[in-house]
Amino acid sequence: MQNKPLYILTYDHGGFVLWGKDVKPRLKELVEWMEKYPKLKVGLDYESFTFDEYSETDPEIIELITYLLKKYPDRVGLGATTYGQPLSLFVSEESNVRQLTYAIKTNNKFFNQTPDVYAISEFALNNQTPQLIKLCGYKAAILRSHVMGYGYTKTFDLPWGRWIGKDLTEIPAVPTYDEQGRGFNCTTVDNWIMSRWPREGCYWCLEDFEKKFEHISPLLASRYDDLTQDVQDITEYIETKDNYHYVLLEDLPELYGEAKEEMRTNDNDFHVQMPWGYCGNEIFNGCRSSEVAAVQAEKLNALSVLLGGVSYQQDIEQAWKYALVAQHHDVTICGLLDLARRFIPDSLKLSDSVITESSKTLVKRFADKDNESLLVANQNSFDVDEWIDVEVSENLSVFDGEKELESVVVEKNNVKTLSVHIVMPALSVKRFTLQKGVCSSKHNFVWNEETGELITPIYKVKLTDDGISYIEKVKDSSRIFDNGDGELFTACIDGENCKSEGKWNVVINSHYAVATQNGKIGSVPYCFEMLFNGKQPRIDCKVNFEIHNQKIGRTGVAEGLKKSLTIDGHRHEEKLNFIMNVCVDNDRRMVRDLPFAISDWNGAVRKNESYWYPEDDIRYDVEVSPEESFNSVTYMQGIYWLALRDKKQGVAVINRGCMGSLVKGNRLEIPLVYANSYMCGTKMLDGIFDDEFSLLPLDETISDVDLHKQAMSYEYTPQVFKIAKGDGDLSEYKIADFDDNDSDVILTAFYYEDGAYFARFCNFSDNAAEVNFDMKQGKIMKTADLLGNEISDINGKVLCFRPWEIKTIKISI
């Protein structure tokens, strides 16, 4: 064993976020160490935002990194593979792309180099990672989350293999070995040794690691851990070992050679957890708002440029960068509110500015010489059916030619809002005429205060002081969910189990009903609102809680641990949760969306998920019976939505930030607030905290892809602008013809960059697909990688997709 080489990869995990004050001292220490320890090779696992930030606030740090990279090109490596070190299963599909591309561009900008092997400290992995990183030019990957506070992945008993992801893209990768360690709130064994030996009860040493995995060759011990860890003792020790050899990321492909063995992963091989409700969900909701706004801004600006407007590429890039760093795992997990309150507003401000400036071109082109009008832009690649709002100064009705649209004007706090029902074709912009007066049509809403029954055009809702008793369909009286005598919220508040209680007020207008319950749960006042719009099946919900330092959620020690470990922020059972008991059969599916994916969740049982430190036995998930799985508590998490459904019906929860749920049988709970002891920094709450989400009842006609489109429509609502009279030359404009309505291919981005237009699509299906895509302007189309580099020509207008393929189209005008 002594003659067998052990390869050692050690990267300092840090950067501006969380570790700002420690970056410069550590870099200065590394300058000394490179002479002191001649064998040492070391990498810098910083978020690439660090380089942008310090180039303006502390250029000496950039100079130190530049010096190390130039002085020791074979011994110091750059490890920055994401711009903001996100937990990639909790950021949108386009955020996943931009985290990769902005990292590469920023690395090259400052140092004229970037890693060619993808590796991370904390959980920036998902089942589309092979496709995404290969489209960014990566040659290989390390399939390890070294610090598994929030996620761990599948293990393999191999030194090196072909990591095969959801779309069957494969990339060479070093895996996490079987029994190397997986579980929440732990690290891999080698990472633990190299970050903490011989301290902190680390009874393993590198010789133990060699012995444990002597059948693996080449054997790699890797460390991606905090730059503040005291690693001098083990660095000195490695200097004495002839068979220990440091490597950098770029050394791995040559060291390992051709990858032959398959390493297939599926969506459920990426186990994750998040402290939903932490900080009142302020950061999670804010991150969602900023990433959505950036996508909307770049789409509208691309449309504006098509119609003769100015490109705001630089502002869009900066809006994205602020959004990406707000998604940093330490911002979201450690509740770094000062950074969140800096980056999220700055991102939103830039996106809003781009939208405002871009709209000026559109308003000029679409202004009607005879009437004030509304301009609506649907930049989704599918038709949308939405109620949209715009502020007005008087009562107005809306016309599409001679046809009057459903609309209503509501005044609240001296502000009038026009809500109008718009059906818009995919990728289109249209002008609608405004006329004085109110809409003549109306819907039939009935509220019986005595019985607590609200009847809408499609639902019957029974409301009680305890919450929602049930919602059923008018057409056949089938229940969508049934909460008995009524439930709305439950929580453990200041150590007491509490249920919400309040009084309902229902306001009925010509085209909608708003049911509002003002009440209390324990000592926490709240205001919950459900909006029923016309015949739209979606029920939009808003809630705010007034919190003044109450302890919300229960604390305790994880069952079976040999040492105390606070995991309470990750345990959802007694947080302030929204409650539904969904009416589906026992063979119901739990299904959710993930980055560029839709997937059934396999119902892994909470009690079998591992929390361990190295002194504990390594424990793995075990097989359980379907009945045990059904009756056990499971945590299900999606990006935009999650759902319980059987073959006939179900309910989806579409969210604007809180992406988690607790499921037990058919009981679905959405955690909205946690404020109690927490291992990464307790954050008590004082103020008003808001959440928005939507309930979408499902039937057998709504496929999972249809559900995803409806969620996208909720998130990326058509943009609307009120415009004065003018001499515009357009009344309608089609960005492109795209036969997506009956297909599973969805546009995820449309933007203008460096003189060309880019449209990115994903096939959200297990089946191959062909779709026509015909830009109204620009006929030269090529496929491109995620960095905009051309890959191949496209013959004609037909785009061909393999299952789950991501494809970017470059259009030259």
Side-chain angles (χ1 to χ4, degrees), residues 254-285:
E254 183 176 353
L255 171 66
Y256 279 92
E258 181 183 0
K260 297 181 180 179
E261 300 289 337
E262 288 187 356
M263 299 193 304
R264 292 180 178 265
T265 55
N266 63 48
D267 295 330
N268 293 326
D269 287 330
F270 300 86
H271 296 254
V272 292
Q273 64 172 11
M274 284 285 267
W276 303 119
Y278 182 48
C279 298
N281 276 335
E282 173 186 335
I283 299 176
F284 301 126
N285 296 344

Side-chain angles (χ1 to χ4, degrees), residues 289-300:
S289 296
S290 60
E291 66 186 2
V292 166
V295 169
Q296 294 282 61
E298 67 185 8
K299 283 182 176 180
L300 197 71

Side-chain angles (χ1 to χ4, degrees), residues 188-381:
T188 53
V189 172
D190 46 341
N191 186 90
W192 186 271
I193 295 166
M194 291 194 292
S195 298
R196 294 160 178 85
W197 181 88
R199 311 174 318 283
E200 299 183 35
C202 190
Y203 62 85
W204 277 46
C205 62
L206 285 176
E207 283 81 0
D208 295 324
F209 182 79
E210 289 179 274
K211 183 177 181 180
K212 176 71 175 177
F213 300 104
E214 60 185 349
H215 61 291
I216 301 287
S217 182
L219 177 61
L220 181 72
S222 58
R223 166 191 170 268
Y224 263 65
D225 211 333
D226 299 342
L227 56 80
T228 55
Q229 293 284 357
D230 183 359
V231 296
Q232 187 160 8
D233 285 345
I234 197 161
T235 303
E236 291 177 346
Y237 181 71
I238 291 170
E239 288 288 322
T240 69
K241 301 287 288 185
D242 292 338
N243 67 313
Y244 287 7
H245 307 285
Y246 283 106
V247 291
L248 297 175
L249 290 175
E250 47 267 37
D251 300 327
L252 296 179
E254 183 176 353
L255 171 66
Y256 279 92
E258 181 183 0
K260 297 181 180 179
E261 300 289 337
E262 288 187 356
M263 299 193 304
R264 292 180 178 265
T265 55
N266 63 48
D267 295 330
N268 293 326
D269 287 330
F270 300 86
H271 296 254
V272 292
Q273 64 172 11
M274 284 285 267
W276 303 119
Y278 182 48
C279 298
N281 276 335
E282 173 186 335
I283 299 176
F284 301 126
N285 296 344
C287 286
R288 171 62 54 77
S289 296
S290 60
E291 66 186 2
V292 166
V295 169
Q296 294 282 61
E298 67 185 8
K299 283 182 176 180
L300 197 71
N301 187 237
L303 171 60
S304 172
V305 175
L306 275 171
L307 296 177
V310 176
S311 168
Y312 292 98
Q313 179 180 337
Q314 197 167 22
D315 287 344
I316 292 167
E317 287 181 356
Q318 192 59 58
W320 263 119
K321 287 182 173 183
Y322 286 141
L324 298 177
V325 73
Q327 296 166 354
H328 191 288
H329 63 273
D330 285 326
V331 173
T332 56
I333 296 302
C334 299
L336 303 183
L337 287 164
D338 56 336
L339 295 183
R341 290 170 181 171
R342 170 191 166 188
F343 297 129
I344 292 170
D346 284 353
S347 178
L348 290 170
K349 183 178 179 181
L350 282 166
S351 293
D352 289 345
S353 174
V354 169
I355 289 171
T356 298
E357 293 303 313
S358 299
S359 70
K360 292 177 180 178
T361 298
L362 306 183
V363 165
K364 185 176 180 180
R365 293 293 302 272
F366 282 85
D368 184 358
K369 66 180 180 180
D370 297 320
N371 301 284
E372 289 186 321
S373 51
L374 287 185
L375 179 66
V376 182
N378 173 27
Q379 298 174 96
N380 294 299
S381 60

Side-chain angles (χ1 to χ4, degrees), residues 479-725:
R479 294 277 168 96
I480 296 165
F481 68 84
D482 190 338
N483 286 350
D485 292 334
E487 277 190 290
L488 194 61
F489 304 108
T490 62
C492 177
I493 299 178
D494 290 331
E496 297 293 328
N497 292 327
C498 304
K499 288 181 64 177
S500 61
E501 186 176 3
K503 296 296 183 182
W504 288 96
N505 178 55
V506 177
V507 175
I508 291 176
N509 211 303
S510 58
H511 289 88
Y512 70 82
V514 179
T516 303
Q517 188 183 68
N518 288 286
K520 270 191 170 185
I521 176 166
S523 58
V524 175
Y526 65 85
C527 177
F528 174 74
E529 174 184 295
M530 288 191 296
L531 172 63
F532 299 86
N533 256 327
K535 293 184 178 180
Q536 184 182 58
R538 199 180 69 214
I539 305 167
D540 294 340
C541 302
K542 296 180 181 179
V543 62
N544 66 66
F545 300 100
E546 183 181 341
I547 302 170
H548 299 294
N549 297 301
Q550 293 96 331
K551 290 184 177 180
I552 301 175
R554 194 178 295 277
T555 59
V557 177
E559 182 180 353
L561 277 183
K562 295 179 182 177
K563 70 178 291 181
S564 175
L565 177 66
T566 303
I567 61 163
D568 307 294
H570 300 290
R571 199 164 53 109
H572 304 328
E573 283 82 337
E574 284 117 355
K575 295 178 180 179
L576 206 170
N577 293 347
F578 174 79
I579 308 298
M580 283 189 297
N581 290 284
V582 184
C583 298
V584 288
D585 294 335
N586 285 5
D587 62 350
R588 57 96 170 103
R589 298 166 55 218
M590 296 185 292
V591 59
R592 73 271 174 77
D593 77 309
L594 299 170
F596 293 105
I598 298 172
S599 178
D600 282 21
W601 174 231
N602 66 4
V605 181
R606 274 306 286 178
K607 69 178 183 180
N608 292 314
E609 289 185 351
S610 304
Y611 296 85
W612 64 279
Y613 270 11
E615 56 264 46
D616 293 306
D617 294 332
I618 298 175
R619 296 182 289 146
Y620 291 91
D621 299 337
V622 298
E623 293 295 325
V624 295
S625 68
E627 181 179 0
E628 183 180 359
S629 178
F630 181 84
N631 290 313
S632 299
V633 173
T634 297
Y635 292 173
M636 177 172 58
Q637 305 174 95
I639 303 295
Y640 297 122
W641 59 269
L642 50 86
L644 291 183
R645 63 183 310 179
D646 58 25
K647 294 178 180 178
K648 294 182 178 180
Q649 64 179 39
V651 174
V653 179
I654 308 170
N655 70 80
R656 285 195 169 148
C658 177
M659 295 169 257
S661 72
L662 178 155
V663 180
K664 183 175 182 180
N666 291 334
R667 185 177 176 87
L668 180 63
E669 303 188 16
I670 309 298
L672 300 176
V673 180
Y674 178 80
N676 212 322
S677 298
Y678 179 54
M679 62 184 294
C680 294
T682 299
K683 295 291 188 298
M684 302 308 292
L685 304 176
D686 188 15
I688 306 278
F689 294 84
D690 302 296
D691 271 293
E692 291 186 44
F693 55 91
S694 185
L695 309 178
L696 180 63
L698 307 171
D699 62 31
E700 68 275 6
T701 67
I702 301 175
S703 69
D704 290 345
V705 179
D706 292 334
L707 194 170
H708 191 65
K709 290 177 183 177
Q710 293 202 42
M712 297 283 280
S713 180
Y714 174 73
E715 303 281 356
Y716 300 93
T717 304
Q719 293 166 296
V720 57
F721 308 95
K722 184 173 177 288
I723 54 180
K725 296 178 184 179

Side-chain angles (χ1 to χ4, degrees), residues 382-401:
F382 44 85
D383 297 354
V384 297
D385 185 336
E386 287 286 343
W387 284 79
I388 54 179
D389 298 334
V390 63
E391 188 176 320
V392 294
S393 59
E394 58 185 332
N395 289 339
L396 296 168
S397 53
V398 186
F399 287 80
D400 180 4

